[in-house]
Amino acid sequence: MLKRKQLFLRRPKSTKALNQVPGTVTYIGRKESVETRLEVIDYNKESFERYISTNPEDAFNFEDDDKNTWININGLNNTPEIEKLGKYYDLHPLILEDIVNTNQRPKVDEFQDYIFLVVKMLYYPKDSAQKTNGTLVNEHISIAVGKDYVLTFQEADGDVFEGIRDRLANAKGRIRNHGTDYLLFSLLDAIIDQYFEVIDSIGDKIELLEDNLFQAQPSDDITFEIQELKRTILRIRRAVFPLREVLSRLEKLDNDLIDDKTGNYFRDLYDHIIQVSENIDIYREMTWGLMDMYMTTISNKMNEVMKVLTIIATIFIPLTFIAGIYGMNFENMPELEWEYGYFVLLGIMILIFIMMIYYFRRKRWI
Amino acid sequence: MLKRKQLFLRRPKSTKALNQVPGTVTYIGRKESVETRLEVIDYNKESFERYISTNPEDAFNFEDDDKNTWININGLNNTPEIEKLGKYYDLHPLILEDIVNTNQRPKVDEFQDYIFLVVKMLYYPKDSAQKTNGTLVNEHISIAVGKDYVLTFQEADGDVFEGIRDRLANAKGRIRNHGTDYLLFSLLDAIIDQYFEVIDSIGDKIELLEDNLFQAQPSDDITFEIQELKRTILRIRRAVFPLREVLSRLEKLDNDLIDDKTGNYFRDLYDHIIQVSENIDIYREMTWGLMDMYMTTISNKMNEVMKVLTIIATIFIPLTFIAGIYGMNFENMPELEWEYGYFVLLGIMILIFIMMIYYFRRKRWI
Amino acid sequence: MLKRKQLFLRRPKSTKALNQVPGTVTYIGRKESVETRLEVIDYNKESFERYISTNPEDAFNFEDDDKNTWININGLNNTPEIEKLGKYYDLHPLILEDIVNTNQRPKVDEFQDYIFLVVKMLYYPKDSAQKTNGTLVNEHISIAVGKDYVLTFQEADGDVFEGIRDRLANAKGRIRNHGTDYLLFSLLDAIIDQYFEVIDSIGDKIELLEDNLFQAQPSDDITFEIQELKRTILRIRRAVFPLREVLSRLEKLDNDLIDDKTGNYFRDLYDHIIQVSENIDIYREMTWGLMDMYMTTISNKMNEVMKVLTIIATIFIPLTFIAGIYGMNFENMPELEWEYGYFVLLGIMILIFIMMIYYFRRKRWI
Amino acid sequence: MLKRKQLFLRRPKSTKALNQVPGTVTYIGRKESVETRLEVIDYNKESFERYISTNPEDAFNFEDDDKNTWININGLNNTPEIEKLGKYYDLHPLILEDIVNTNQRPKVDEFQDYIFLVVKMLYYPKDSAQKTNGTLVNEHISIAVGKDYVLTFQEADGDVFEGIRDRLANAKGRIRNHGTDYLLFSLLDAIIDQYFEVIDSIGDKIELLEDNLFQAQPSDDITFEIQELKRTILRIRRAVFPLREVLSRLEKLDNDLIDDKTGNYFRDLYDHIIQVSENIDIYREMTWGLMDMYMTTISNKMNEVMKVLTIIATIFIPLTFIAGIYGMNFENMPELEWEYGYFVLLGIMILIFIMMIYYFRRKRWI
Amino acid sequence: MLKRKQLFLRRPKSTKALNQVPGTVTYIGRKESVETRLEVIDYNKESFERYISTNPEDAFNFEDDDKNTWININGLNNTPEIEKLGKYYDLHPLILEDIVNTNQRPKVDEFQDYIFLVVKMLYYPKDSAQKTNGTLVNEHISIAVGKDYVLTFQEADGDVFEGIRDRLANAKGRIRNHGTDYLLFSLLDAIIDQYFEVIDSIGDKIELLEDNLFQAQPSDDITFEIQELKRTILRIRRAVFPLREVLSRLEKLDNDLIDDKTGNYFRDLYDHIIQVSENIDIYREMTWGLMDMYMTTISNKMNEVMKVLTIIATIFIPLTFIAGIYGMNFENMPELEWEYGYFVLLGIMILIFIMMIYYFRRKRWI
């Protein structure tokens, strides 16, 4: 009956695979049939190399040189290959579980040789023509940062890192001169930049709904859309808010992998994520207020309907009664025989009509 | 009159047995007439033995070997046998009170020789065909973990540990190679896995209610179901939220009974319980929003009813008045004698009718 | 007009006696004309003595032996006798003020020789036949615990300590073997046990109101009862919540008066008070939700009324108009002269009637 | 049109004098044309002297003796005299600004030689016959306490210190035996005692509004009064809540000016202010609930109106239709010629009437 | 259709320039086409010089003397000149980014040689005749304070510092005798003074809306204005609240740049910002309450409409029915032939009319 527009996020399947041996690496996301695709970028100040493969072993060749290597893996459903890679880079089994568990909330774990992060990538795919109607993608992304490598694990093709690839290829900005910590910063910066766009689209959506409230017919669709918007904001909160702690910890991390100077950049990111959080909470309150607005709008409309009914009924019911009186068939009704009885009565009726109109005017109903 | 569907949880009897000597071991749960049933699993890397009895003394035979022993007691109403077991394993009297007090909230207590936990097991019994209509079981479970034994006390038969029994029997995964701390982890992991399923069913229920809101007739049943859902979510919160502190303390416990490596696993559980908590709070807000949605839906429906009434009354009341005029019996009413008076009047009435329809069209009521 | 049922608590007079010298001992509670009544229980492992008097000096005789003495004073309005007792036991003047100030919130003060507690005793008097209709008593109780004496000051006769008196008299449980700290624990335990009963009655009241919402006529009484229930829950919160801090401090108290072993028992009480608090907050949310439920119920009822009106009016107003047409007295109305005109018209009217009914069926109004 | 009753507090002018040199002593309160009036009370154990003047220099004479001096200044608009006094007692320029800035929130500042407090005095003037209708006074009061002097600065004549003056004059209680710290305590105690009276009047107002809700006609006045009450409670909160921190700091102050024994008294005041705060928050929730109550009351009333309309219309519209049928002028209407047709029809109409009444009875509308 | 009045703030473009190299200095504010304008004020105790230019290099001449220099830059869109200035004063690249990023929230950063602050300047432009209708300006302002210079970066011309310029020029107050720390204090004081005016205008707006609620016709405009007001308050909160932490940190800063004596002044500012925050939260609650008030107002109005309809219909529908009875054409209707039948019936009708009126009087509907 009601066709729901899934405006933003699909409800994630939160069910973990049940009754499994803990530490089992099982992908529980929406297995969009992608084959696992590897993208290796090997770079230093002087050189830049990019290589794409579907075979994880290809990645290992790039490890032994003195360049920084960024290995991006798209597609998590092919778990054996993820495990192979994990074994090569010596990742903890529970980390591997986190990589494929798309319900894992954002976090940072510090290990001897590497830092591991889980982040949520929120973005509108480029081909979605109209932002406010496009479907928001909420993609689980895991990042492992070692001395000279960065591993990124994504659910599917399509990401927000095109600008970084471009800067690496063309040696724009500082990125080729710095280590893997700066690459990590660049990745997080690109992700958080997208958050701003996402919350802007929420703001647009709220304004759109506000306009609709006053123009549209009372309709359950709007109720549903507001509820949907509430849900979306709650989900975005859940993706964004834990990142505050992640960035706060990253900034304070006393670790060889993160240069002191890069710490400043992380503090900047922390500032940005606080801004995003504050905006989310403002939009949250605005959205909650929409329901009240809608309610008063419906009540106003009903008030208007009632007024029309009351005006018409209040004017014509008494007049009809008077007409009824002189429609009676009593034999002795003197007025009926008066020569101008009919016209006098018509005059009285018109008088009553005018008085009623005047009454409603004064009551400001008309 | 109104048949309530008890969708999720029964209201627990919170009344403690009154005016009793403190430390008295009294079972206050719903005494479903189960006899206390003992299940002993004795295992190490090489061997596995399973034994079922109704006599607690049978459990003591398994204590003196060098294997790990998991003793699972189903049924808490037979308090003397609980006390016997407690005495054998040297459990504190207040601990025994906690074991049978089904109102005890989740907690962890650390003792010299053992760790004691109270947890709530939430699950849908397997035989309940339709999850969203089945009755959620909220079972009180106490766990005592010593060097080479694990005691679990359950209210009744039926639990979420089948997978663990299976892995112990068939030596799947790491479970037979590790100590009792890993068994504790496995038990908690199985319980928390079920939480995910429970909150998913809450999510399903919310979506079902949302659909019903728009399709169904306004009915007090929905109001009641929403209130029932609120109640359920509050109860689940109460069962789940204290577990966050329990797991956080377990992770940090400096105790010989817990191996350092197992600590990592507890941190993983802590992550999971945070995810469950966040989802509960999102569903909480969604449920609270349902009532507003329902309210606007009713108002919309009433608006529609009012419009129909207003349209009909506004069109026909004036027309009836006009007919009434010419139903009067005045002797001198010239129009009545005109040859085409009747047809002219019919024409005027049709004109008024069309104008009214046009007016409502423009007001978008039709 | 509206007879309010004071279901739970009377509004306490919060006004302190104004413009008085601070430290003045003035009783501000509801001076139910009780005379101050003293009850002295003198006990040790071997012996038990009970003595009732209205003369405070009688209490002093029991002080010098090596037994524990529990002196219970009922009735606070006879302030000079309270002061006499206070002087004998060397209680601070501000403490005496707290004893008679029934607005004092629960607290614990530690002194050199004694510990002083203020607690609120909530209970239903035994003679109130129906718990949910009985009036909840909120009684101010002060407890001073010294090495070998316990003083309890109550507002009036009637308390929740009958079980303790019984256990002392008959040497049930551990109570006669322990010191005054264990007696303190027993008193608090008896008070908190009653809290469970009180919140259970709140739960019953909520379920009763929920049932009434759907069955009863819309009536302002329910609105008032919900507001009354809110008020009661807020007052109970105020009596119960500060006790959490009191018990937490009692547990940690490093004082000769409290034995280390008894500390365990206080931790147990702390667990119980947390359970009570959580339940209060759940009932709080449920009660707040009742108002929304009631609102939707009223709206549903109004919707139903509107539908009946609309169906009747929509069917008969047009039909009446048609009848009105043929009631006109035009000379030239050909239909009137047709032989079967009347019957044809009746047929048309029945047709319209059936179509209307069908329309409302399809709209699911009937 | 709507005459608002300003029940409690006037909206304070929060605007600071703009664009002024910081530290400028400008009085921004409501300059009720009082001339600055000085009241000097000089006392010790043996003697008591009281002196009233309008010349601040008169105050300096009392400084050099070994008595305690309480100088109370009424009227802040004569800023040069405030500055003169400030210079004599060596008060910091920013302190002088705080004394005349009536928007300054309650606070305590500790200096070398004196302690400075800002407090809000809430009270109903004595001449206001009916407390609930009288206008609450919210007066800014600053207190400076030195070794042997206490300065109090009030906005206008009229305060809550009459009892203290009386006790000083007649040597009642401990007040003449103690130092200025005890005088400070007495002043604060007198102020906080008034808070109890104020919140009691709020409680009375809430109960009055609750009664009005059910008796009065639906009227916008009640809506306004509830909003006014909300505003008042928020303002009182703002005056009272910061005092908690002030008293907590006073209690812990390690300062020669405050005797250790007086610390106990400040702890007592802290207890009282917590009680006030808790009551404010309870009344706050009750007030917020009033709006919901009012809403359901209106809806109930509308429901009742609708029912009357529906009953009348549903009974008489069909009957009118039947009468209309037999008012038609068809030539061939056999029933009209039956001898008892009219009486049969009357009988049918009465039958329909009775059935309708029965129907509404069963629906419990009548 | 609905022309929205943008009463307070425009929605800021929160979108950061996407996919840019981090550290890039890009102005993202509303580029109101101002050219960057430099204003240099060079002063010490004896002298005062003011110079205006559009060339940033002009500012460097003033650096080498022993006077304090305040350089105010209006217009951020000309980023190369901002960078030039930044390089001269050795500002960190991320600081330069913050200067032009108008979304940066208020903060303070401490560096070796200077302190950097971001603040939001809220004010009504002077030319806006009516404050409550004027558009509030929310301007991003950055302040860098070194040993002998203060740099202020504003978005556009127009600020709240006229008073400071005047005092510097005319050596009013302490400002020429103190260092740059006192100038910083004066700037912040001027900004916070404006906050008081802004929240006062919010208070005025709330009172205006309250008045409109009762006088105006129910209209969606008010709903929108309340939502707009909510939005504004949320935005002001966002601009003001972070300043509390900024000022708290400034006060505690252990830095050569800030004199200990000036610390006192910052504590005073902190007090003021707390007052502003508290007022914002009070207005917040009042605004949220407006929606409830509006809802009850609409319901009251609808109630009144319904009553008019019900009174008219309930009186005239039964009377019309009676008239209808005697309009029937039965041949045998004895009443019709009675001589005074008509007048008796008229009498009965008048009686019914009077009884109805009495009934409604008693129900207090009239």
Side-chain angles (χ1 to χ4, degrees), chain C residues 253-269:
Chain C
L253 223 57
D254 185 21
N255 194 307
D256 285 348
L257 296 167
I258 306 267
D259 197 84
D260 277 358
K261 276 186 216 152
T262 320
N264 269 336
Y265 288 97
F266 287 123
R267 195 170 58 192
D268 204 50
L269 284 185

Side-chain angles (χ1 to χ4, degrees), chain A residues 175-329:
Chain A
I175 196 161
R176 286 253 293 264
N177 309 340
H178 288 71
T180 52
D181 54 347
Y182 193 86
L183 180 55
L184 169 64
F185 158 73
S186 301
L187 293 169
L188 292 175
D189 189 55
I191 289 168
I192 291 171
D193 272 5
Q194 285 294 334
Y195 290 171
F196 280 100
E197 202 179 333
V198 168
I199 56 170
D200 265 5
S201 84
I202 297 283
D204 291 343
K205 182 77 197 155
I206 290 174
E207 294 201 346
L208 202 71
L209 276 172
E210 274 178 14
D211 288 346
N212 282 351
L213 280 189
F214 298 109
Q215 286 162 12
Q217 285 293 91
S219 117
D220 297 342
D221 275 20
I222 285 179
T223 313
F224 180 75
E225 280 181 41
I226 294 172
Q227 181 83 342
E228 186 72 22
L229 190 58
K230 282 184 183 181
R231 196 195 316 275
T232 306
I233 290 174
L234 290 174
R235 295 248 161 82
I236 293 177
R237 259 172 76 95
R238 209 182 140 213
V240 170
F241 275 42
L243 210 55
R244 296 186 297 191
E245 204 203 320
V246 167
L247 285 167
S248 163
R249 283 189 55 196
L250 262 187
E251 186 196 332
K252 288 168 205 146
L253 222 57
D254 185 23
N255 193 307
D256 286 349
L257 295 167
I258 306 269
D259 198 83
D260 276 357
K261 275 185 218 155
T262 321
N264 269 336
Y265 288 97
F266 286 123
R267 195 169 59 192
D268 203 52
L269 284 186
Y270 179 75
D271 266 12
H272 290 170
I273 205 76
I274 293 286
Q275 284 174 49
V276 174
S277 305
E278 283 180 349
N279 271 312
I280 288 174
D281 276 343
I282 287 182
Y283 288 143
R284 202 170 107 106
E285 289 222 39
M286 297 315 295
T287 308
W288 264 240
L290 281 177
M291 211 68 184
D292 287 342
M293 285 178 77
Y294 186 44
M295 201 63 204
T296 52
T297 310
I298 297 174
S299 290
N300 268 340
K301 288 222 165 80
M302 208 181 312
N303 216 347
E304 205 191 335
V305 171
M306 288 304 306
K307 270 187 197 163
V308 168
L309 175 61
T310 302
I311 289 167
I312 293 293
T314 305
I315 289 176
F316 286 104
I317 286 180
L319 293 180
T320 304
F321 165 67
I322 293 172
I325 292 279
Y326 294 100
M328 293 193 295
N329 297 319

Side-chain angles (χ1 to χ4, degrees), chain A residues 4 11 14-23 92 94 98 103-105 107 217-220 223-224 227 230-231 234 238 284 288 291 294-295 298 301-302 304-306 308-309 312 316 319-320 323 326-329 335-337 339 341-343 345-346 349, chain B residues 167 173-174 185 189 193 196-197 200 203-204 207 210-211 214 264 268 271-272 274-275 278-279 282-283 285-286 289-290 292-293 295-297 299-300 303 306-307 309-310 313-314 317-318 321 324-335 359 363-365:
Chain A
R4 298 186 172 193
R11 188 157 76 88
S14 67
T15 315
K16 258 189 63 189
L18 289 173
N19 287 328
Q20 253 181 349
V21 182
H92 193 279
L94 286 173
D98 289 339
N103 286 315
Q104 178 59 48
R105 65 200 295 270
K107 68 164 184 176
Q217 285 293 91
S219 117
D220 297 342
T223 313
F224 180 75
Q227 181 83 342
K230 282 184 183 181
R231 196 195 316 275
L234 290 174
R238 209 182 140 213
R284 202 170 107 106
W288 264 240
M291 211 68 184
Y294 186 44
M295 201 63 204
I298 297 174
K301 288 222 165 80
M302 208 181 312
E304 205 191 335
V305 171
M306 288 304 306
V308 168
L309 175 61
I312 293 293
F316 286 104
L319 293 180
T320 304
Y326 294 100
M328 293 193 295
N329 297 319
E335 301 95 320
L336 295 179
E337 287 148 38
E339 191 164 359
Y342 172 55
F343 302 102
L345 191 71
L346 278 191
M349 283 175 169
Chain B
R167 272 186 271 145
R174 272 156 283 207
F185 158 72
D189 188 54
D193 272 6
F196 280 100
E197 203 178 333
D200 265 6
D204 291 343
E207 294 200 347
E210 274 178 15
D211 288 346
F214 298 109
N264 269 336
D268 204 51
D271 265 13
H272 290 171
I274 294 285
Q275 283 173 49
E278 282 180 349
N279 271 312
I282 287 182
Y283 287 142
E285 289 222 38
M286 297 316 294
L290 282 178
D292 287 342
M293 285 177 77
M295 200 65 204
T296 52
T297 309
S299 290
N300 269 340
N303 216 346
M306 289 303 307
K307 271 187 196 164
L309 175 61
T310 303
T314 306
I317 286 180
F321 164 66
I325 293 278
Y326 294 101
M328 294 192 295
N329 298 319
F330 283 98
E331 288 189 350
N332 179 16
M333 289 178 68
E335 300 96 319
Y359 172 77
K363 282 218 153 194
R364 296 179 169 237
W365 291 8

Side-chain angles (χ1 to χ4, degrees), chain B residues 67-264:
Chain B
K67 297 176 183 174
N68 295 324
T69 311
W70 171 23
I71 303 174
N72 180 36
I73 297 96
N74 284 351
L76 302 179
N77 51 335
N78 198 345
T79 48
E81 310 211 339
I82 304 287
E83 280 183 304
K84 219 181 289 172
L85 216 73
K87 218 160 278 173
Y88 184 83
Y89 283 102
D90 199 29
L91 302 178
H92 193 279
L94 286 172
I95 289 299
L96 289 176
E97 207 187 327
D98 289 340
I99 287 171
V100 296
N101 176 2
T102 54
N103 287 314
Q104 177 58 48
R105 65 200 296 269
K107 68 163 184 176
V108 58
D109 278 338
E110 196 185 353
F111 291 88
Q112 190 82 32
D113 299 324
Y114 62 96
I115 298 165
F116 177 73
L117 292 101
V118 171
V119 189
K120 300 292 176 184
M121 186 158 67
L122 302 173
Y123 67 99
Y124 293 101
K126 272 170 207 155
D127 52 307
S128 74
Q130 282 167 290
K131 233 192 323 179
T132 51
N133 288 320
T135 301
L136 180 64
V137 173
N138 180 5
E139 202 174 324
H140 180 73
I141 178 164
S142 316
I143 307 176
V145 181
K147 197 69 212 161
D148 56 357
Y149 65 90
V150 172
L151 304 179
T152 52
F153 298 85
Q154 304 185 28
E155 276 184 76
D157 286 341
D159 58 27
V160 301
F161 301 143
E162 280 312 309
I164 296 174
R165 288 190 189 90
D166 183 49
R167 272 186 271 145
L168 279 170
N170 303 318
K172 274 194 238 164
R174 272 156 283 207
I175 195 162
R176 286 253 293 265
N177 308 340
H178 288 71
T180 53
D181 54 346
Y182 193 86
L183 181 55
L184 169 64
F185 158 72
S186 300
L187 293 168
L188 292 175
D189 188 54
I191 289 167
I192 291 171
D193 272 6
Q194 285 294 334
Y195 290 170
F196 280 100
E197 203 178 333
V198 168
I199 55 170
D200 265 6
S201 85
I202 297 284
D204 291 343
K205 181 77 195 152
I206 290 174
E207 294 200 347
L208 202 70
L209 276 173
E210 274 178 15
D211 288 346
N212 282 351
L213 280 189
F214 298 109
Q215 285 162 12
Q217 285 294 91
S219 118
D220 297 342
D221 275 20
I222 284 179
T223 312
F224 179 75
E225 281 181 41
I226 294 172
Q227 181 83 341
E228 186 72 22
L229 190 58
K230 282 184 182 180
R231 196 194 316 275
T232 306
I233 290 174
L234 290 174
R235 296 246 161 84
I236 293 177
R237 259 171 76 95
R238 208 182 142 215
V240 170
F241 275 42
L243 211 54
R244 297 186 296 191
E245 203 202 321
V246 167
L247 285 167
S248 162
R249 282 190 55 197
L250 263 187
E251 187 196 331
K252 287 168 205 146
L253 224 56
D254 186 22
N255 192 308
D256 286 349
L257 294 167
I258 306 269
D259 197 84
D260 276 357
K261 275 184 216 155
T262 321
N264 269 336

Side-chain angles (χ1 to χ4, degrees), chain E residues 253-294:
Chain E
L253 221 58
D254 186 23
N255 193 307
D256 286 349
L257 294 168
I258 307 268
D259 197 83
D260 277 356
K261 276 186 216 153
T262 321
N264 269 337
Y265 289 96
F266 286 124
R267 195 170 59 192
D268 203 52
L269 284 186
Y270 179 75
D271 264 12
H272 290 171
I273 205 76
I274 294 287
Q275 283 174 49
V276 174
S277 305
E278 282 180 349
N279 272 312
I280 289 174
D281 276 343
I282 287 182
Y283 288 142
R284 202 171 108 107
E285 290 221 40
M286 297 315 295
T287 308
W288 265 239
L290 282 178
M291 210 68 185
D292 287 342
M293 286 177 77
Y294 186 44

